[in-house]
mmCIF file of all heavy atoms in Angstrom:
data_model
loop_
_atom_site.group_PDB
_atom_site.id
_atom_site.type_symbol
_atom_site.label_atom_id
_atom_site.label_comp_id
_atom_site.label_asym_id
_atom_site.label_seq_id
_atom_site.Cartn_x
_atom_site.Cartn_y
_atom_site.Cartn_z
ATOM 1 N N MET A 6 201.747 -51.716 -186.613
ATOM 2 C CA MET A 6 200.584 -52.474 -187.040
ATOM 3 C C MET A 6 199.371 -51.532 -187.102
ATOM 4 O O MET A 6 199.094 -50.821 -186.133
ATOM 5 C CB MET A 6 200.312 -53.618 -186.059
ATOM 6 C CG MET A 6 199.107 -54.478 -186.420
ATOM 7 S SD MET A 6 198.783 -55.737 -185.175
ATOM 8 C CE MET A 6 200.263 -56.734 -185.341
ATOM 9 N N ILE A 7 198.670 -51.557 -188.229
ATOM 10 C CA ILE A 7 197.494 -50.703 -188.392
ATOM 11 C C ILE A 7 196.264 -51.430 -187.862
ATOM 12 O O ILE A 7 196.023 -52.592 -188.177
ATOM 13 C CB ILE A 7 197.279 -50.334 -189.876
ATOM 14 C CG1 ILE A 7 198.490 -49.539 -190.395
ATOM 15 C CG2 ILE A 7 195.999 -49.516 -190.045
ATOM 16 C CD1 ILE A 7 198.435 -49.264 -191.883
ATOM 17 N N LEU A 8 195.485 -50.740 -187.051
ATOM 18 C CA LEU A 8 194.246 -51.301 -186.512
ATOM 19 C C LEU A 8 193.059 -50.744 -187.292
ATOM 20 O O LEU A 8 192.967 -49.549 -187.540
ATOM 21 C CB LEU A 8 194.092 -50.962 -185.036
ATOM 22 C CG LEU A 8 195.212 -51.456 -184.121
ATOM 23 C CD1 LEU A 8 194.899 -51.107 -182.663
ATOM 24 C CD2 LEU A 8 195.434 -52.966 -184.269
ATOM 25 N N ILE A 210 196.678 -58.459 -179.866
ATOM 26 C CA ILE A 210 197.502 -57.560 -180.662
ATOM 27 C C ILE A 210 198.974 -57.746 -180.311
ATOM 28 O O ILE A 210 199.845 -57.791 -181.183
ATOM 29 C CB ILE A 210 197.061 -56.093 -180.440
ATOM 30 C CG1 ILE A 210 195.599 -55.915 -180.876
ATOM 31 C CG2 ILE A 210 197.970 -55.133 -181.212
ATOM 32 C CD1 ILE A 210 194.989 -54.590 -180.468
ATOM 33 N N LYS A 214 202.006 -59.054 -182.870
ATOM 34 C CA LYS A 214 203.230 -58.289 -183.110
ATOM 35 C C LYS A 214 204.474 -59.096 -182.739
ATOM 36 O O LYS A 214 205.528 -58.940 -183.363
ATOM 37 C CB LYS A 214 203.213 -56.997 -182.277
ATOM 38 C CG LYS A 214 202.310 -55.908 -182.846
ATOM 39 C CD LYS A 214 202.594 -54.573 -182.195
ATOM 40 C CE LYS A 214 203.921 -54.005 -182.637
ATOM 41 N NZ LYS A 214 204.183 -52.658 -182.072
ATOM 42 N N GLU A 239 194.328 -47.561 -175.770
ATOM 43 C CA GLU A 239 195.249 -48.613 -175.316
ATOM 44 C C GLU A 239 195.674 -49.506 -176.488
ATOM 45 O O GLU A 239 196.853 -49.869 -176.618
ATOM 46 C CB GLU A 239 194.579 -49.437 -174.215
ATOM 47 C CG GLU A 239 194.308 -48.667 -172.945
ATOM 48 C CD GLU A 239 193.553 -49.503 -171.927
ATOM 49 O OE1 GLU A 239 193.348 -50.712 -172.169
ATOM 50 O OE2 GLU A 239 193.160 -48.938 -170.883
ATOM 51 N N ALA A 240 194.703 -49.865 -177.330
ATOM 52 C CA ALA A 240 195.009 -50.718 -178.467
ATOM 53 C C ALA A 240 195.965 -50.036 -179.436
ATOM 54 O O ALA A 240 196.930 -50.652 -179.929
ATOM 55 C CB ALA A 240 193.722 -51.109 -179.184
ATOM 56 N N LEU A 241 195.730 -48.748 -179.688
ATOM 57 C CA LEU A 241 196.574 -48.024 -180.616
ATOM 58 C C LEU A 241 197.992 -47.881 -180.072
ATOM 59 O O LEU A 241 198.969 -47.935 -180.827
ATOM 60 C CB LEU A 241 195.957 -46.643 -180.891
ATOM 61 C CG LEU A 241 194.689 -46.672 -181.764
ATOM 62 C CD1 LEU A 241 193.915 -45.382 -181.641
ATOM 63 C CD2 LEU A 241 195.042 -46.943 -183.216
ATOM 64 N N LYS A 242 198.109 -47.715 -178.777
ATOM 65 C CA LYS A 242 199.439 -47.598 -178.175
ATOM 66 C C LYS A 242 200.224 -48.904 -178.318
ATOM 67 O O LYS A 242 201.416 -48.898 -178.647
ATOM 68 C CB LYS A 242 199.297 -47.227 -176.691
ATOM 69 C CG LYS A 242 200.625 -47.016 -175.988
ATOM 70 C CD LYS A 242 200.417 -46.573 -174.550
ATOM 71 C CE LYS A 242 201.742 -46.346 -173.842
ATOM 72 N NZ LYS A 242 201.548 -45.919 -172.423
ATOM 73 N N VAL A 243 199.555 -50.039 -178.084
ATOM 74 C CA VAL A 243 200.195 -51.334 -178.195
ATOM 75 C C VAL A 243 200.599 -51.620 -179.639
ATOM 76 O O VAL A 243 201.645 -52.215 -179.914
ATOM 77 C CB VAL A 243 199.262 -52.443 -177.661
ATOM 78 C CG1 VAL A 243 199.760 -53.820 -178.049
ATOM 79 C CG2 VAL A 243 199.143 -52.332 -176.152
ATOM 80 N N ALA A 244 199.746 -51.208 -180.573
ATOM 81 C CA ALA A 244 199.983 -51.511 -181.991
ATOM 82 C C ALA A 244 201.068 -50.653 -182.612
ATOM 83 O O ALA A 244 201.675 -51.033 -183.616
ATOM 84 C CB ALA A 244 198.689 -51.333 -182.780
ATOM 85 N N ALA A 245 201.312 -49.489 -182.017
ATOM 86 C CA ALA A 245 202.249 -48.518 -182.615
ATOM 87 C C ALA A 245 203.673 -49.076 -182.685
ATOM 88 O O ALA A 245 204.086 -49.877 -181.857
ATOM 89 C CB ALA A 245 202.233 -47.225 -181.789
#
Side-chain angles (χ1 to χ4, degrees):
M6 180 184 294
I7 299 173
L8 301 183
I210 299 170
K214 284 194 71 176
E239 294 175 6
L241 288 163
K242 183 177 180 180
V243 167

